[in-house]
Amino acid sequence: MPITTVHVNRYYLEPRMNWASFYAVISGVNRHSTGIGRVWLSVLFIFRLLVLVVAAESVWGDEKAHFTCNTQQPGCNSVCYDHFFPISHIRLWALQLIMVSSPALLVAMHVAHRRHLDKKLYRRTGRGSPKELEQLKLQKMKITGALWWTYIISLLFRVLFESAFMYLFYRIYPGYKMFRLVKCDSYPCPNTVDCFVSRPTEKTVFTVFMLAVSGVCILLNITEVVFLVARATSQHLNNSKDSPLGAWITQKLFSY
Amino acid sequence: MNWGTLYTQLTGVNRHSTSLGKIWLSVLFIFRVSVLVVAAETVWSDEQADFVCNTLQPGCENVCYDHFFPISHVRLWCLQLIFASTPPLLVAMYVAHRRHEDKRGILCASRSRAKQEEDLESLRKRRLPITGALWWVYAASLLFRLLFEAVFMYALYAIYDGVWLPRLVRCEEVPCPNEVDCFVSRPTEKTVFTVFMAAASGACMVLNVAELAYLVAKAATRGPARRGVRKGQADYAAKDKGLLQMMRNETLMASSSSVSSACKAV
C-alpha cells in the first residue's frame, strides 16, 4: 500500500476557532439584552453563523477551481471568474456577520462602564466586600437612561448594516438565482466563450436561505426597537405625576 | 498562526488600558484579525496556484509570480498585526514587575497572615493608575504602535503601488520567451479586502493618536492639581507609595534580626 502524506489543512481549524471566540464575546452581551435580543442572537448563531461555517463554506469551496470556460486560452478562466464574481457570497456574508455583531460591543462597553461606576459607588458607601462586588457582577443591568439610548442606537446600526449588505448583494448579484451558464468575452478570451458555474442550484438554495434569515433578523431588530420605545413611553405615562411630559401625553390621549 | 494565544495575552493587558485602548483592542480583533483569518486567508489561498501565464515555458509562471508578489498581502498583514500587538505586552511586563515589587513589600511586612492575604488579594484586583513611570511606558508603547502601523502601511503601498490589484500583468523575466500576459487570481475581491484592511489600520492609528493626546492632556491637567489637596489618581498613587513606606517602617521598627535579606532590599 503506498504511503500517503496527510496534509492537515490548518485553514479549516483556524476559522472555526475564531468564530468560537467571536461567539464567546458576543454571547456575553446576551445577559443584558431583552428577550427579543436573545432570540435575535440565537437566530444569528444557529441559522446564519452555523449554516455559514458548516454548510455554505463547503458549497462555495470549489467555486473557482470548478468554474470552467469552454476555451484553452490561459487566463480566460481567471478573468471571467473575476468579472462575474467580484466578491464571493461567502465573504460578503462573513463581513455582514462581523459588522452586524459589532454594535453589540457598544452595549457591552457601556455596561462595563456602568459596572465600574457602581463598583466605585459601592466602595465609597462602605459596601466594598468581595462578596457584594461579586453580586454586583452577576446582577442584570436594567435598560434605562443612557444605556437605553446606547441600546437603541446599537439596534439602529444593526438594521442599517443589514440593509446595507442586502442592498450591496442586490447590486452585485441582481436577482438571487445563480446561473448555470454565463457568457464571457473579456480579454484574453478569444471570442464570447461559455463559462459554467459550479453547483448553481445548491448555491441558489443557500443564497435564498441566508437572505431570508437576514430579513427575519431585520424584523426582529425593528420589533425590539418598537418594544423598547413602547416600554419607555408606558413608563413615562405611569410616572406622569412626576413628569410634565407624561402628564401632557396622558391628558392628550385620554381627552378623546 | 495562533491568534487565540495573542488574544489571551492582550485581554490581560486590557485591564490597565484606558477606554480608548480597550476600543483599539476590540477594533483590532474584530475588524482585523477576524477578517484576516475568516475571509482574507481564503481569498489569497490560491494566489500562486491560480496565477496563470499565457505560455507553456516551465518556470515562467514561478518567476513572474515572484516578481510581481515579493511578499503576499496576507503575510504582510500578519506581521503588521504581530508588531502592532507587541508594545502593549511591554506595558503588561512593566505592570507585572511593579506587582512583583509590591507583593514583596506586602510579604516582608510583619503583619498578620489574614491581613497579608487581604492585601495580596486587593493588589491582584487593583487597577494601577497610569502615572509616573507607567505613563511613560504606556506612551512609549503607543508611539511604537503608531510607528509599526505606519511602516507596514507604507511598505504595502510601496511594494504594490497602491491598493488596487490589476487583472493582467505583463512579464518578461527569464525564462519567459518574450513579454507574456499573466493573470492574477480574484483581483477584485483582493482589492476589496486590501481597502478594508487599510481602512481598519487607519482607524487603529487614529485611535492610537487620540489615546496619546488624551494621556498627554491628562498628565498636563494633573500636574498643577497635584499641588492642591484633592482626591484624585495622583493621591491614589501617593497612597500606594505611602502604604509601602508604612510597611517598610513597620519592618524596620520590628527586631532587625528577624528580617530576611530579601526584605532588606525592598
Side-chain angles (χ1 to χ4, degrees):
Chain A
M1 201 158 90
I3 299 164
T4 50
T5 49
V6 176
H7 174 64
V8 176
N9 192 346
R10 290 186 73 233
Y11 291 124
Y12 288 120
L13 294 174
E14 295 296 326
R16 280 192 194 126
M17 184 193 79
N18 226 341
W19 281 124
S21 44
F22 181 75
Y23 171 76
V25 168
I26 300 295
S27 55
V29 184
N30 209 7
R31 272 204 305 143
H32 312 289
S33 308
T34 59
I36 305 176
R38 290 178 197 174
V39 171
W40 172 83
L41 202 69
S42 310
V43 168
L44 188 86
F45 279 111
I46 297 171
F47 293 105
R48 292 172 78 178
L49 190 55
L50 198 63
V51 167
L52 184 75
V53 170
V54 164
E57 281 190 349
S58 349
V59 173
W60 267 267
D62 60 359
E63 53 174 341
K64 186 158 195 289
H66 286 168
F67 180 81
T68 326
C69 291
N70 188 6
T71 179
Q72 295 229 337
Q73 172 62 44
C76 181
N77 264 5
S78 290
V79 163
C80 290
Y81 175 81
D82 186 62
H83 182 258
F84 286 100
F85 301 101
I87 176 165
S88 169
H89 294 66
I90 294 274
R91 254 72 69 184
L92 265 178
W93 287 327
L95 278 177
Q96 184 177 9
L97 278 174
I98 289 171
M99 298 293 282
V100 158
S101 315
S102 48
L105 294 165
L106 269 178
V107 176
M109 289 196 286
H110 193 138
V111 167
H113 173 70
R114 246 210 202 171
R115 276 252 161 79
H116 180 68
L117 291 175
D118 284 348
K119 250 193 197 167
K120 266 211 255 186
L121 190 69
Y122 264 46
R123 284 213 181 96
R124 293 240 171 104
T125 55
R127 286 189 281 170
S129 75
K131 211 175 80 173
E132 301 216 6
L133 292 176
E134 270 304 308
Q135 215 177 25
L136 185 70
K137 219 178 278 179
L138 296 169
Q139 221 171 46
K140 186 189 160 186
M141 207 142 286
K142 280 199 163 294
I143 303 175
T144 50
L147 185 60
W148 186 92
W149 284 104
T150 310
Y151 201 86
I152 291 282
I153 289 169
S154 84
L155 284 173
L156 290 171
F157 269 112
R158 264 187 234 170
V159 173
L160 182 73
F161 289 148
E162 292 264 26
S163 322
F165 271 93
M166 282 187 80
Y167 175 69
L168 193 67
F169 218 94
Y170 181 73
R171 285 302 302 263
I172 301 177
Y173 299 108
Y176 301 125
K177 190 168 147 57
M178 181 68 77
F179 293 107
R180 259 183 205 179
L181 162 71
V182 289
K183 282 173 157 38
C184 172
D185 64 355
S186 319
Y187 178 84
C189 305
N191 46 41
T192 306
V193 296
D194 291 339
C195 293
F196 301 92
V197 177
S198 118
R199 309 182 206 245
T201 315
E202 207 167 355
K203 286 180 181 170
T204 308
V205 167
F206 276 98
T207 308
V208 169
F209 179 86
M210 293 294 271
L211 288 171
V213 180
S214 300
V216 166
C217 285
I218 292 179
L219 280 175
L220 282 170
N221 286 329
I222 293 174
T223 315
E224 204 177 351
V225 170
V226 167
F227 167 72
L228 281 172
V229 167
R231 198 169 74 171
T233 321
S234 73
Q235 273 174 358
H236 266 300
L237 291 177
N238 283 339
N239 301 338
S240 61
K241 53 180 181 290
D242 300 332
S243 98
L245 176 68
W248 182 82
I249 294 174
T250 321
Q251 192 214 20
K252 285 288 167 200
L253 284 176
F254 294 118
S255 64
Y256 293 108
Chain B
M1 192 60 70
N2 206 343
W3 294 111
T5 329
L6 185 68
Y7 179 72
T8 331
Q9 294 290 330
L10 287 176
T11 40
V13 178
N14 212 8
R15 271 208 309 149
H16 310 289
S17 308
T18 61
S19 329
L20 281 167
K22 291 176 188 171
I23 296 173
W24 172 84
L25 195 72
S26 311
V27 168
L28 188 86
F29 272 98
I30 293 167
F31 292 103
R32 294 171 76 183
V33 177
S34 293
V35 169
L36 183 74
V37 172
V38 163
E41 281 192 346
T42 342
V43 175
W44 267 266
S45 60
D46 59 0
E47 53 176 330
Q48 193 174 6
D50 273 352
F51 182 80
V52 166
C53 290
N54 189 4
T55 178
L56 284 175
Q57 171 63 46
C60 179
E61 276 178 8
N62 283 3
V63 163
C64 291
Y65 175 79
D66 188 62
H67 181 255
F68 286 99
F69 300 99
I71 175 164
S72 168
H73 291 70
V74 175
R75 257 69 73 187
L76 265 177
W77 287 327
C78 286
L79 283 173
Q80 183 178 8
L81 285 169
I82 289 170
F83 274 86
S85 314
T86 334
L89 296 173
L90 271 177
V91 177
M93 287 197 291
Y94 178 76
V95 168
H97 168 72
R98 269 270 284 269
R99 280 252 163 86
H100 180 70
E101 296 218 313
D102 291 351
K103 206 176 168 179
R104 266 208 307 186
I106 290 173
L107 287 172
C108 292
S110 53
R111 288 166 160 228
S112 71
R113 186 124 183 104
K115 192 78 171 70
Q116 263 190 6
E117 292 283 338
E118 205 184 293
D119 280 342
L120 280 173
E121 259 314 299
S122 76
L123 179 75
R124 216 171 292 152
K125 294 223 173 106
R126 200 165 54 200
R127 188 188 150 197
L128 284 171
I130 303 176
T131 51
L134 182 59
W135 186 95
W136 286 103
V137 173
Y138 200 89
S141 88
L142 281 173
L143 283 169
F144 273 112
R145 266 187 245 175
L146 267 170
L147 182 72
F148 290 145
E149 295 263 24
V151 163
F152 275 95
M153 278 187 82
Y154 176 72
L156 193 80
Y157 196 81
I159 298 175
Y160 292 105
D161 257 331
V163 292
W164 184 72
L165 263 98
R167 246 180 216 185
L168 161 71
V169 289
R170 296 204 145 92
C171 173
E172 51 184 350
E173 305 287 313
V174 170
C176 304
N178 47 39
E179 194 180 54
V180 296
D181 290 341
C182 293
F183 301 93
V184 177
S185 123
R186 309 183 207 245
T188 316
E189 206 164 356
K190 286 179 180 170
T191 307
V192 167
F193 278 98
T194 309
V195 168
F196 185 91
M197 294 294 272
S201 298
C204 285
M205 284 173 77
V206 166
L207 282 168
N208 285 333
V209 168
E211 202 178 352
L212 197 61
Y214 167 73
L215 277 180
V216 167
K218 215 166 78 154
T221 53
R222 202 176 42 230
R226 210 192 279 258
R227 292 188 197 106
V229 182
R230 203 185 68 161
K231 273 202 170 78
Q233 285 192 338
D235 280 351
Y236 192 82
K239 256 202 300 202
D240 236 17
K241 285 191 186 137
L243 187 69
L244 272 176
Q245 190 60 48
M246 197 174 75
M247 287 195 263
R248 271 181 227 149
N249 291 343
E250 279 185 32
T251 316
L252 287 168
M253 284 197 309
S255 58
S256 54
S257 57
S258 63
V259 174
S260 69
S261 57
C263 293
K264 274 203 183 115
V266 173

